Coordinates of all heavy atoms in Angstrom, one line a residue:
M294 N 107.6 51.3 116.7 CA 107.4 52.6 116.8 C 107.0 53.2 115.5 O 107.7 53.0 114.6 CB 108.5 53.4 117.6 CG 108.3 55.0 117.4 SD 109.7 56.0 117.9 CE 109.8 55.7 119.6
A295 N 106.0 53.9 115.5 CA 105.6 54.8 114.3 C 105.6 56.2 114.6 O 104.9 56.6 115.6 CB 104.3 54.2 113.7
L296 N 106.2 56.9 113.8 CA 106.3 58.4 113.9 C 105.5 58.9 112.7 O 105.6 58.4 111.6 CB 107.7 59.0 113.9 CG 108.6 58.5 114.8 CD1 110.0 59.1 114.5 CD2 108.1 59.0 116.2
L297 N 104.5 59.9 113.1 CA 103.5 60.1 112.0 C 103.5 61.8 111.8 O 103.7 62.4 112.8 CB 102.1 59.9 112.5 CG 101.9 58.4 112.8 CD1 100.4 58.2 113.3 CD2 102.1 57.5 111.6
W298 N 103.4 62.2 110.6 CA 103.2 63.5 110.2 C 101.9 63.6 109.4 O 101.9 63.4 108.3 CB 104.3 63.9 109.3 CG 105.7 64.0 110.1 CD1 106.2 65.1 110.6 CD2 106.6 63.0 110.2 NE1 107.5 64.8 111.1 CE2 107.8 63.5 110.9 CE3 106.7 61.7 109.9 CZ2 108.9 62.7 111.3 CZ3 107.8 60.9 110.2 CH2 108.9 61.6 110.9
P299 N 100.8 63.7 110.2 CA 99.5 63.6 109.6 C 99.1 64.6 108.5 O 98.6 64.2 107.4 CB 98.6 63.8 110.8 CG 99.3 63.4 111.9 CD 100.7 63.7 111.6
S300 N 99.6 65.8 108.7 CA 99.3 66.8 107.7 C 100.0 66.5 106.3 O 99.5 66.9 105.3 CB 99.8 68.2 108.2 OG 101.2 68.2 108.3
K301 N 101.1 65.7 106.4 CA 101.9 65.3 105.2 C 101.5 63.9 104.6 O 102.0 63.4 103.7 CB 103.2 65.5 105.3 CG 103.7 66.9 105.7 CD 103.7 67.7 104.4 CE 104.4 69.0 104.8 NZ 104.6 69.9 103.7
K302 N 100.8 63.1 105.5 CA 100.5 61.8 105.2 C 101.6 60.9 105.1 O 101.7 60.1 104.1 CB 99.5 61.6 104.1 CG 98.2 62.3 104.2 CD 97.3 61.5 104.9 CE 95.8 62.1 104.8 NZ 95.0 61.4 105.7
V303 N 102.7 61.1 106.1 CA 104.0 60.4 106.0 C 104.0 59.7 107.4 O 103.8 60.3 108.4 CB 105.1 61.4 105.8 CG1 106.5 60.7 106.0 CG2 105.0 62.0 104.4
A304 N 104.6 58.4 107.4 CA 104.8 57.6 108.5 C 106.1 57.0 108.5 O 106.5 56.6 107.4 CB 103.6 56.7 108.7
L305 N 106.8 56.9 109.6 CA 108.1 56.2 109.8 C 107.7 55.1 110.7 O 107.5 55.4 111.8 CB 109.2 57.1 110.3 CG 110.5 56.3 110.6 CD1 111.2 55.8 109.3 CD2 111.4 57.3 111.4
D306 N 108.0 53.9 110.2 CA 107.5 52.8 111.0 C 108.7 51.9 111.3 O 109.4 51.3 110.4 CB 106.4 51.9 110.4 CG 105.8 50.9 111.3 OD1 106.1 50.8 112.6 OD2 104.9 50.1 110.8
I307 N 109.1 51.6 112.5 CA 110.3 50.8 112.9 C 109.7 49.5 113.3 O 109.1 49.3 114.2 CB 111.0 51.5 114.2 CG1 111.4 52.9 113.8 CG2 112.3 50.5 114.5 CD1 112.2 53.7 115.0
V308 N 109.8 48.6 112.3 CA 109.1 47.4 112.2 C 109.5 46.4 113.2 O 108.6 45.4 113.6 CB 109.1 46.8 110.8 CG1 108.5 47.7 109.8 CG2 110.6 46.4 110.4
D309 N 110.8 46.4 113.7 CA 111.1 45.3 114.6 C 111.3 45.8 116.0 O 111.9 45.1 116.9 CB 112.5 44.6 114.1 CG 113.6 45.6 114.0 OD1 113.3 46.9 114.0 OD2 114.7 45.1 113.8
D310 N 110.6 46.9 116.4 CA 110.7 47.4 117.7 C 109.4 46.6 118.4 O 108.3 46.7 118.2 CB 110.3 48.8 117.8 CG 110.3 49.4 119.1 OD1 110.2 48.7 120.1 OD2 110.3 50.7 119.2
P311 N 109.9 45.7 119.4 CA 109.0 44.8 120.1 C 107.9 45.5 120.9 O 106.9 45.0 121.2 CB 109.8 43.9 120.9 CG 111.0 44.6 121.1 CD 111.3 45.5 120.0
T312 N 108.2 46.7 121.3 CA 107.2 47.5 122.2 C 106.5 48.6 121.4 O 105.7 49.4 121.9 CB 107.9 48.2 123.3 OG1 108.8 49.2 122.7 CG2 108.7 47.2 124.2
A313 N 106.5 48.4 120.0 CA 106.0 49.5 119.3 C 104.5 49.4 118.9 O 104.0 48.3 119.0 CB 106.8 49.6 117.8
T314 N 103.9 50.5 118.7 CA 102.6 50.6 118.1 C 102.9 50.8 116.6 O 103.5 52.0 116.3 CB 101.7 51.8 118.6 OG1 101.6 51.4 120.0 CG2 100.4 51.8 118.0
H315 N 102.6 50.0 115.6 CA 103.0 50.2 114.3 C 101.8 50.9 113.5 O 100.7 51.0 113.9 CB 103.1 48.8 113.6 CG 104.3 48.1 114.3 ND1 105.6 48.5 114.0 CD2 104.4 47.1 115.2 CE1 106.4 47.7 114.8 NE2 105.7 46.9 115.4
F316 N 102.2 51.5 112.4 CA 101.4 52.1 111.5 C 100.3 51.4 111.1 O 100.5 50.2 110.6 CB 102.2 52.8 110.2 CG 101.2 53.5 109.3 CD1 100.8 54.8 109.6 CD2 100.8 52.9 108.1 CE1 100.0 55.4 108.7 CE2 99.9 53.5 107.3 CZ 99.6 54.7 107.5
S317 N 99.0 51.9 111.2 CA 97.8 51.1 110.8 C 96.9 51.9 109.9 O 95.7 51.5 109.9 CB 97.1 50.5 112.1 OG 96.7 51.6 112.9
G318 N 97.3 52.9 109.3 CA 96.5 53.8 108.5 C 96.3 53.2 107.0 O 96.8 52.0 106.7
D319 N 95.7 54.0 106.2 CA 95.4 53.6 104.8 C 96.7 53.8 104.1 O 97.0 55.0 103.8 CB 94.3 54.5 104.3 CG 93.8 54.2 102.8 OD1 94.6 53.3 102.2 OD2 92.9 54.7 102.4
E320 N 97.3 52.7 103.6 CA 98.6 52.8 102.9 C 98.4 53.4 101.4 O 99.4 53.5 100.7 CB 99.3 51.4 103.0 CG 99.7 51.2 104.5 CD 100.6 50.1 104.5 OE1 101.6 49.9 103.7 OE2 100.7 49.3 105.5
Q321 N 97.1 53.4 101.0 CA 96.9 54.0 99.7 C 97.0 55.5 99.8 O 97.5 56.1 98.7 CB 95.5 53.7 99.2 CG 95.3 52.1 99.0 CD 95.9 51.6 97.8 OE1 96.4 52.4 96.9 NE2 96.3 50.3 97.8
E322 N 96.8 56.1 100.9 CA 96.9 57.6 101.1 C 98.2 58.0 101.7 O 98.7 59.1 101.5 CB 95.7 58.0 102.1 CG 94.4 57.8 101.5 CD 93.3 58.5 102.4 OE1 93.6 59.3 103.2 OE2 92.2 58.0 102.4
W323 N 98.8 57.2 102.5 CA 100.0 57.5 103.3 C 101.3 57.0 102.5 O 101.2 55.9 101.9 CB 100.0 56.9 104.7 CG 99.0 57.6 105.6 CD1 97.7 57.7 105.5 CD2 99.4 58.4 106.7 NE1 97.2 58.3 106.5 CE2 98.2 58.9 107.3 CE3 100.6 58.7 107.3 CZ2 98.1 59.6 108.5 CZ3 100.6 59.6 108.5 CH2 99.4 60.0 109.1
K324 N 102.4 57.7 102.8 CA 103.7 57.2 102.3 C 104.3 56.7 103.6 O 104.5 57.4 104.6 CB 104.5 58.4 101.8 CG 104.0 59.0 100.6 CD 104.6 60.2 100.1 CE 103.9 61.0 99.1 NZ 103.8 62.4 99.3
V325 N 104.6 55.4 103.6 CA 105.1 54.8 104.8 C 106.5 54.3 104.5 O 106.8 53.5 103.6 CB 104.1 53.4 105.2 CG1 104.8 52.8 106.5 CG2 102.8 54.0 105.4
V326 N 107.4 54.8 105.4 CA 108.8 54.3 105.3 C 109.0 53.3 106.5 O 108.9 53.7 107.6 CB 109.8 55.5 105.5 CG1 111.2 55.1 105.4 CG2 109.5 56.6 104.5
R327 N 109.4 52.1 106.0 CA 109.5 51.0 107.1 C 111.1 50.8 107.2 O 111.8 50.6 106.2 CB 108.8 49.8 106.6 CG 107.3 49.9 106.7 CD 106.7 48.6 106.6 NE 105.3 48.6 107.1 CZ 104.2 49.2 106.2 NH1 104.5 49.7 105.1 NH2 103.0 49.3 106.7
V328 N 111.5 50.8 108.5 CA 113.0 50.6 108.8 C 113.0 49.6 110.0 O 112.1 49.3 110.6 CB 113.6 51.9 109.1 CG1 113.6 52.8 107.9 CG2 113.0 52.5 110.3
T329 N 114.3 49.1 110.2 CA 114.5 48.3 111.3 C 115.3 49.1 112.4 O 116.0 50.1 112.1 CB 115.4 47.0 110.9 OG1 116.6 47.5 110.4 CG2 114.7 46.3 109.8
C330 N 115.4 48.5 113.5 CA 116.2 49.2 114.6 C 117.6 49.3 114.1 O 118.3 50.2 114.4 CB 116.0 48.4 115.9 SG 114.5 48.4 116.7
A331 N 118.2 48.2 113.5 CA 119.6 48.2 113.0 C 119.8 49.4 112.1 O 120.9 50.0 112.2 CB 119.9 46.9 112.4
E332 N 118.9 49.7 111.3 CA 119.0 50.8 110.3 C 119.1 52.1 111.0 O 119.8 53.0 110.6 CB 117.9 50.8 109.3 CG 118.0 49.7 108.3 CD 116.7 49.8 107.5 OE1 115.7 49.4 107.8 OE2 116.9 50.2 106.3
M333 N 118.2 52.2 112.1 CA 118.3 53.5 112.9 C 119.5 53.6 113.8 O 120.1 54.7 114.2 CB 117.0 53.6 113.7 CG 115.8 53.6 112.8 SD 115.7 54.9 111.5 CE 115.4 56.3 112.6
D334 N 120.1 52.5 114.2 CA 121.2 52.4 115.1 C 122.6 52.8 114.3 O 123.4 53.5 114.8 CB 121.5 50.9 115.6 CG 122.5 50.9 116.7 OD1 122.5 51.8 117.6 OD2 123.3 50.0 116.7
D335 N 122.6 52.5 113.0 CA 123.8 52.8 112.2 C 123.7 54.2 111.8 O 122.7 54.4 111.0 CB 124.0 51.8 111.0 CG 125.0 52.2 110.1 OD1 126.3 52.1 110.5 OD2 124.8 52.6 109.0
Y336 N 124.6 55.1 111.9 CA 124.4 56.5 111.5 C 124.2 56.6 110.0 O 123.4 57.4 109.6 CB 125.6 57.3 112.0 CG 125.3 58.8 111.7 CD1 124.4 59.6 112.5 CD2 126.0 59.4 110.5 CE1 124.1 60.9 112.1 CE2 125.5 60.8 110.4 CZ 124.7 61.5 111.1 OH 124.4 62.8 110.8
H337 N 125.1 55.9 109.2 CA 124.9 56.1 107.8 C 123.6 55.8 107.2 O 123.0 56.4 106.4 CB 126.1 55.3 107.1 CG 127.4 55.9 107.4 ND1 127.9 57.1 107.0 CD2 128.4 55.5 108.3 CE1 129.0 57.4 107.5 NE2 129.3 56.3 108.3
S338 N 123.0 54.6 107.7 CA 121.7 54.2 107.2 C 120.6 55.1 107.9 O 119.6 55.5 107.2 CB 121.4 52.9 107.5 OG 121.4 52.5 108.9
F339 N 120.8 55.5 109.0 CA 119.9 56.5 109.7 C 119.8 57.9 108.9 O 118.8 58.4 108.6 CB 120.4 56.8 111.2 CG 119.7 58.1 111.7 CD1 118.5 58.2 112.2 CD2 120.6 59.3 111.8 CE1 118.0 59.4 112.7 CE2 120.0 60.4 112.2 CZ 118.7 60.5 112.8
R340 N 121.0 58.3 108.5 CA 121.1 59.5 107.6 C 120.2 59.3 106.4 O 119.6 60.3 106.0 CB 122.6 59.9 107.4 CG 122.8 61.1 106.6 CD 122.5 62.3 107.4 NE 122.6 63.4 106.4 CZ 123.0 64.7 106.7 NH1 123.2 65.0 108.0 NH2 123.0 65.7 105.8
K341 N 120.5 58.1 105.7 CA 119.8 57.9 104.5 C 118.2 58.0 104.8 O 117.4 58.6 103.9 CB 120.1 56.6 103.8 CG 121.5 56.8 103.2 CD 121.8 55.5 102.6 CE 123.3 55.6 102.0 NZ 123.8 54.3 101.5
V342 N 117.8 57.4 105.9 CA 116.3 57.3 106.2 C 115.8 58.7 106.4 O 114.7 59.1 105.9 CB 116.0 56.5 107.4 CG1 114.7 56.7 108.0 CG2 116.4 55.0 107.0
M343 N 116.8 59.6 107.2 CA 116.3 60.9 107.6 C 116.2 61.7 106.3 O 115.2 62.5 106.2 CB 117.5 61.5 108.5 CG 117.1 63.0 108.8 SD 118.3 63.5 109.9 CE 119.9 63.4 109.0
E344 N 117.1 61.6 105.3 CA 116.9 62.2 104.2 C 115.7 61.9 103.2 O 115.1 62.7 102.7 CB 118.4 62.1 103.3 CG 119.5 62.8 104.0 CD 120.7 62.5 103.3 OE1 120.8 61.6 102.3 OE2 121.9 63.0 103.6
H345 N 115.5 60.6 103.3 CA 114.2 60.2 102.6 C 113.0 60.8 103.2 O 112.2 61.2 102.5 CB 114.2 58.6 102.4 CG 113.0 58.0 101.8 ND1 112.9 58.3 100.5 CD2 112.0 57.3 102.2 CE1 111.7 57.7 100.1 NE2 111.2 57.1 101.1
V346 N 112.9 60.7 104.5 CA 111.6 61.2 105.2 C 111.7 62.7 104.9 O 110.5 63.3 104.7 CB 111.7 60.9 106.7 CG1 110.6 61.6 107.4 CG2 111.5 59.4 106.8
A347 N 112.7 63.5 104.9 CA 112.8 64.9 104.7 C 112.2 65.2 103.4 O 111.4 66.1 103.2 CB 114.1 65.4 104.9
H348 N 112.7 64.4 102.3 CA 112.2 64.5 101.0 C 110.6 64.3 101.0 O 109.9 65.2 100.3 CB 112.9 63.6 100.1 CG 112.4 63.7 98.7 ND1 112.6 64.6 97.8 CD2 111.5 62.8 98.1 CE1 112.0 64.4 96.7 NE2 111.4 63.1 96.8
L349 N 110.2 63.4 101.6 CA 108.7 63.2 101.6 C 107.9 64.3 102.2 O 106.8 64.6 101.8 CB 108.4 61.7 102.3 CG 108.9 60.5 101.6 CD1 108.7 59.3 102.4 CD2 108.3 60.3 100.2
L350 N 108.6 64.9 103.2 CA 107.9 66.0 104.0 C 108.2 67.4 103.3 O 107.8 68.5 103.8 CB 108.5 66.2 105.3 CG 108.1 65.0 106.2 CD1 108.9 65.0 107.6 CD2 106.6 64.8 106.5
N351 N 109.0 67.4 102.1 CA 109.4 68.5 101.4 C 110.1 69.5 102.3 O 109.9 70.7 102.4 CB 108.0 69.4 100.9 CG 107.4 68.6 99.9 OD1 108.0 68.0 99.0 ND2 106.0 68.5 99.9
A352 N 111.0 68.8 103.1 CA 111.9 69.6 103.9 C 113.3 69.4 103.6 O 113.7 68.5 102.8 CB 111.7 69.0 105.5
E353 N 114.2 70.3 104.0 CA 115.7 70.3 103.7 C 116.4 69.8 104.9 O 116.0 70.1 106.0 CB 116.1 71.7 103.4 CG 115.6 72.4 102.2 CD 116.2 71.6 100.9 OE1 117.3 71.3 100.9 OE2 115.5 71.5 100.0
V354 N 117.3 68.8 104.7 CA 118.1 68.5 105.8 C 119.4 69.4 105.8 O 120.0 69.6 104.7 CB 118.7 67.0 105.5 CG1 119.8 66.6 106.5 CG2 117.6 66.1 105.5
P355 N 119.8 69.9 106.9 CA 120.9 70.9 107.0 C 122.1 70.2 106.5 O 122.4 69.1 106.6 CB 121.0 71.2 108.5 CG 119.5 71.0 109.0 CD 119.0 69.8 108.3
K356 N 123.0 71.1 105.9 CA 124.1 70.5 105.2 C 125.5 71.0 105.8 O 126.6 70.6 105.5 CB 124.2 70.7 103.7 CG 123.0 70.2 103.1 CD 123.2 69.4 101.8 CE 122.0 69.0 101.0 NZ 121.3 67.8 101.5
D357 N 125.5 71.9 106.8 CA 126.6 72.5 107.3 C 127.2 71.6 108.3 O 126.6 70.7 108.9 CB 126.3 73.9 108.0 CG 125.5 73.7 109.3 OD1 126.1 73.5 110.3 OD2 124.3 74.0 109.2
A358 N 128.6 71.8 108.3 CA 129.4 70.9 109.2 C 129.1 70.8 110.7 O 129.1 69.8 111.3 CB 130.9 71.1 108.9
V359 N 128.8 71.9 111.2 CA 128.5 72.1 112.5 C 127.3 71.3 112.9 O 127.3 70.5 113.8 CB 128.4 73.5 113.1 CG1 127.8 73.6 114.5 CG2 129.6 74.2 113.0
W360 N 126.2 71.4 112.2 CA 125.0 70.7 112.3 C 125.2 69.2 112.2 O 124.8 68.4 113.0 CB 123.9 71.1 111.3 CG 122.5 70.5 111.6 CD1 121.6 70.9 112.3 CD2 122.2 69.2 111.0 NE1 120.6 69.8 112.3 CE2 120.9 68.8 111.5 CE3 122.8 68.2 110.2 CZ2 120.3 67.6 111.2 CZ3 122.2 67.0 109.9 CH2 120.9 66.8 110.4
E361 N 125.9 68.8 111.2 CA 126.3 67.3 110.9 C 126.9 66.7 112.1 O 126.7 65.7 112.7 CB 127.2 67.2 109.8 CG 127.7 65.9 109.5 CD 126.5 64.8 109.2 OE1 125.4 65.2 108.6 OE2 126.8 63.6 109.4
Q362 N 128.0 67.5 112.7 CA 128.7 67.0 113.9 C 127.8 66.9 115.1 O 127.8 65.9 115.8 CB 129.9 67.8 114.1 CG 130.7 67.4 115.4 CD 131.2 66.1 115.3 OE1 131.7 65.5 114.0 NE2 131.4 65.2 116.2
R363 N 127.0 67.9 115.3 CA 126.0 67.8 116.5 C 125.1 66.8 116.3 O 124.5 66.1 117.3 CB 125.3 69.1 116.6 CG 126.4 70.2 117.2 CD 125.7 71.5 117.4 NE 126.6 72.5 117.9 CZ 126.4 73.8 117.9 NH1 125.3 74.3 117.6 NH2 127.4 74.5 118.4
N364 N 124.6 66.5 115.0 CA 123.6 65.5 114.7 C 124.3 64.2 115.0 O 123.6 63.2 115.6 CB 123.1 65.5 113.4 CG 121.8 64.7 113.1 OD1 121.0 64.7 113.8 ND2 122.0 63.9 112.0
R365 N 125.5 63.9 114.7 CA 126.2 62.6 115.0 C 126.3 62.4 116.5 O 126.1 61.3 116.9 CB 127.6 62.7 114.3 CG 127.6 62.4 112.8 CD 129.1 62.5 112.3 NE 129.1 62.3 110.9 CZ 129.2 61.0 110.4 NH1 129.2 60.0 111.1 NH2 129.2 60.9 109.1
E366 N 126.7 63.5 117.1 CA 126.9 63.4 118.6 C 125.6 63.0 119.2 O 125.4 62.2 120.2 CB 127.4 64.7 119.0 CG 128.8 64.8 118.8 CD 129.2 66.3 119.2 OE1 128.6 67.1 119.7 OE2 130.4 66.6 118.8
L367 N 124.3 63.7 118.9 CA 123.2 63.3 119.3 C 122.7 61.9 119.0 O 122.2 61.3 120.0 CB 122.2 64.4 118.8 CG 120.6 64.1 119.2 CD1 120.4 64.1 120.8 CD2 119.7 64.9 118.4
H368 N 122.9 61.5 117.9 CA 122.5 60.2 117.5 C 123.3 59.1 118.2 O 122.8 58.2 118.8 CB 122.9 59.9 115.9 CG 122.6 58.5 115.5 ND1 123.5 57.6 115.5 CD2 121.5 58.0 115.0 CE1 123.0 56.4 115.0 NE2 121.8 56.7 114.7
A369 N 124.7 59.4 118.4 CA 125.5 58.4 119.4 C 125.0 58.6 120.9 O 125.0 57.4 121.3 CB 127.1 58.9 119.3
A370 N 124.6 59.6 121.3 CA 124.2 59.6 122.7 C 122.8 58.9 122.8 O 122.6 58.2 123.7 CB 124.0 61.1 123.1
L371 N 121.9 59.1 121.8 CA 120.6 58.4 121.9 C 120.8 56.9 121.8 O 120.1 56.1 122.5 CB 119.7 58.9 120.9 CG 119.2 60.4 121.1 CD1 118.4 60.9 119.9 CD2 118.3 60.5 122.3
M372 N 121.6 56.5 120.9 CA 121.8 55.1 120.6 C 122.5 54.4 121.7 O 122.3 53.1 122.1 CB 122.6 54.8 119.3 CG 121.7 55.2 118.0 SD 120.2 54.4 118.0 CE 119.0 55.6 118.2
A373 N 123.4 55.0 122.6 CA 124.0 54.5 123.8 C 123.0 54.2 124.9 O 123.3 53.3 125.6 CB 125.0 55.5 124.2
H374 N 121.9 54.9 124.8 CA 120.9 54.6 125.9 C 119.7 53.7 125.3 O 118.8 53.5 126.1 CB 120.2 55.9 126.4 CG 121.3 56.6 127.0 ND1 121.9 56.3 128.2 CD2 121.9 57.8 126.7 CE1 122.8 57.2 128.6 NE2 122.9 58.1 127.7
A375 N 119.9 53.2 124.1 CA 118.6 52.5 123.5 C 118.8 51.0 124.0 O 119.7 50.4 124.5 CB 118.8 52.6 122.0

């Protein structure tokens, strides 16, 4: 799966997703972050990926405890159905 932010020329490509459409743009112009399903499944590595993508997008990752807890819960729920 590739998630794209065209206005920022940023792509997140999950390289070992067997059903995915992978990034196929000009890698000279785009910043492509390649990750595995395992990296996205583990919350700590997911968080690092999220922070890296946010940095590339010039966005801030919320830092408050309530957001962090809700984000962990959402991640756990989504990964339970993956």
Side-chain angles (χ1 to χ4, degrees):
M294 168 193 284
L296 301 174
L297 306 175
W298 291 267
S300 65
K301 301 284 188 170
K302 299 276 190 194
V303 173
L305 173 68
D306 193 2
I307 303 174
V308 297
D309 61 347
D310 181 346
T312 63
T314 301
H315 297 286
F316 177 77
S317 61
D319 181 354
E320 295 197 33
Q321 298 288 335
E322 292 183 29
W323 285 70
K324 297 170 193 142
V325 182
V326 178
R327 289 192 167 79
V328 298
T329 64
C330 291
E332 287 174 285
M333 298 305 284
D334 189 47
D335 175 73
Y336 184 78
H337 295 291
S338 60
F339 161 78
R340 178 72 187 209
K341 288 180 183 178
V342 169
M343 179 178 56
E344 289 171 355
H345 180 62
V346 170
H348 173 74
L349 294 174
L350 296 172
N351 296 317
E353 293 288 325
V354 175
K356 304 227 186 281
D357 67 84
V359 172
W360 183 90
E361 174 68 23
Q362 182 58 37
R363 289 181 178 167
N364 194 50
R365 283 178 180 274
E366 291 168 3
L367 175 61
H368 181 268
L371 291 172
M372 293 303 111
H374 296 292

